[in-house]
Amino acid sequence: MGIRLIVEVLTSAPEALTHREKLLLVVLAEDANDDTRITWNSVERPEVLRGAKLSRAQLYAVLKSLATKGALERLTAGQKNAAAKYKIPMFAAPQCPGIADTDTSQCPGIPDTDENAQCPENADTEPSQCQEIPDVSVRESLTPTPHPSSTTPSASKQEEPADDRLSYGYPEAALPLVEGITAAGVNVRWPFKGDQWFPILALITKSGVPALVDYAVRAAARTNVDSAKYFLRGWAELPPLPRPGTERPTLRAVAGGWQPYTNPVDVSAYSNGF
């Protein structure tokens, strides 16, 4: 493992390298020897592809680009029983040690030009944060007193407690469905938590609570239902609510109107056993 070589790549690699090329070079430096600067293993290993975030096809394109820019040398080609060998060349130093940085404000021999910035003997301009002067909003427990907000209700106008049913994990939009099925005499479990309620909320929006309750009651009448999950498949096949503006089709009236059934006057209709 070439830790020293990794640092050299990070600090002295050519500026012309892209982020992808530099990342691959760092991965190869981790596998190379610090002294010989030659890689040990195959560059096609899954560890290399995963570390460089490259596919196999992208790998060879980036290797070729690194060789073109002089940041990598291929010593031997890959063979049947031997992996290709690559060498990381020597890089030029990024900056000459004898040339000082033009920004001298942080040099050890030159004090900071801001004399009164954070010196211990100079107190902060905000006296409320000094250790010697405690904040007036801080009690003996050193806990700051929260400032009142315009959106915070006053003590005389406390918010009404939320419905206790919400604490059981039922979303507010699903309560009409849960209550409607329970009121119809169908007592089932609702084993949904968190985002598991999303399909049910979508079905409520799609088909409406009355249709879902009606289907659940009819399904529970046919078989013993223990969980509300039993209804999901049937709910998904229900039609959507009518679009706004859809008119109900007019029904054709029967001639003479509807009449209740009456026994025939002619008794011969009961002949032959009828």
Side-chain angles (χ1 to χ4, degrees):
M1 179 181 293
I3 298 300
R4 177 174 57 82
L5 196 54
I6 292 176
V7 176
E8 183 178 341
V9 169
L10 292 174
T11 58
S12 305
E15 295 292 337
L17 298 184
T18 63
H19 294 291
R20 177 176 292 182
E21 294 167 350
K22 194 168 186 179
L23 179 58
L24 176 59
L25 197 60
V26 168
V27 175
L28 296 179
E30 190 272 338
D31 180 62
N33 183 284
D34 269 341
D35 298 325
T36 63
R37 309 173 75 87
I38 300 175
T39 57
W40 288 97
N41 303 296
S42 171
V43 296
E44 296 182 351
R45 291 180 301 135
E47 293 84 352
V48 175
L49 299 176
R50 183 171 58 253
K53 295 179 173 58
L54 297 171
S55 64
R56 189 178 298 273
Q58 294 171 336
L59 173 68
Y60 290 103
V62 178
L63 288 173
K64 182 178 180 181
S65 179
L66 286 172
T68 302
K69 296 180 180 180
L72 189 66
E73 301 175 7
R74 190 176 76 167
L75 300 182
T76 58
Q79 300 177 4
K80 183 177 181 180
N81 297 322
K85 295 296 182 181
Y86 290 86
K87 181 178 180 181
I88 300 176
M90 298 291 295
F91 299 123
Q95 185 175 5
C96 179
I99 301 177
D101 197 329
T102 56
D103 186 4
T104 59
S105 60
Q106 298 298 330
C107 295
I110 301 177
D112 198 329
T113 55
D114 189 359
E115 298 179 356
N116 299 324
Q118 297 295 333
C119 297
E121 57 271 18
N122 294 330
D124 198 320
T125 55
E126 179 61 46
S128 62
Q129 299 300 324
C130 297
Q131 296 181 357
E132 296 82 0
I133 305 176
D135 192 342
V136 294
S137 65
V138 179
R139 305 186 186 92
E140 294 181 357
S141 61
L142 300 181
T143 304
T145 303
H147 295 283
S149 173
S150 58
T151 59
T152 303
S154 60
S156 59
K157 296 182 179 180
Q158 295 292 338
E159 293 184 356
E160 296 181 358
D163 196 337
D164 293 336
R165 292 170 297 182
L166 300 180
S167 62
Y168 292 100
Y170 294 102
E172 185 176 357
L175 282 177
L177 176 62
V178 177
E179 294 172 345
I181 293 178
T182 304
V186 180
N187 295 312
V188 294
R189 295 182 298 108
W190 296 84
F192 306 104
K193 296 181 180 179
D195 55 4
Q196 295 177 351
W197 283 99
F198 290 167
I200 297 180
L201 299 179
L203 290 170
I204 292 175
T205 304
K206 171 195 169 188
S207 301
V209 171
L212 302 185
V213 172
D214 178 69
Y215 175 84
V217 172
R218 288 185 285 108
R222 294 191 300 266
T223 183
N224 185 22
V225 181
D226 176 67
S227 172
K229 288 184 177 181
Y230 179 84
F231 305 131
L232 290 179
R233 184 173 181 179
W235 282 344
E237 297 175 354
L238 292 177
L241 291 170
R243 289 178 294 180
T246 303
E247 297 181 359
R248 181 177 179 180
T250 56
L251 300 179
R252 182 174 60 86
V254 180
W258 176 83
Q259 297 293 334
Y261 174 79
T262 56
N263 294 327
V265 178
D266 188 1
V267 294
S268 63
Y270 298 102
S271 61
N272 298 327
F274 293 101

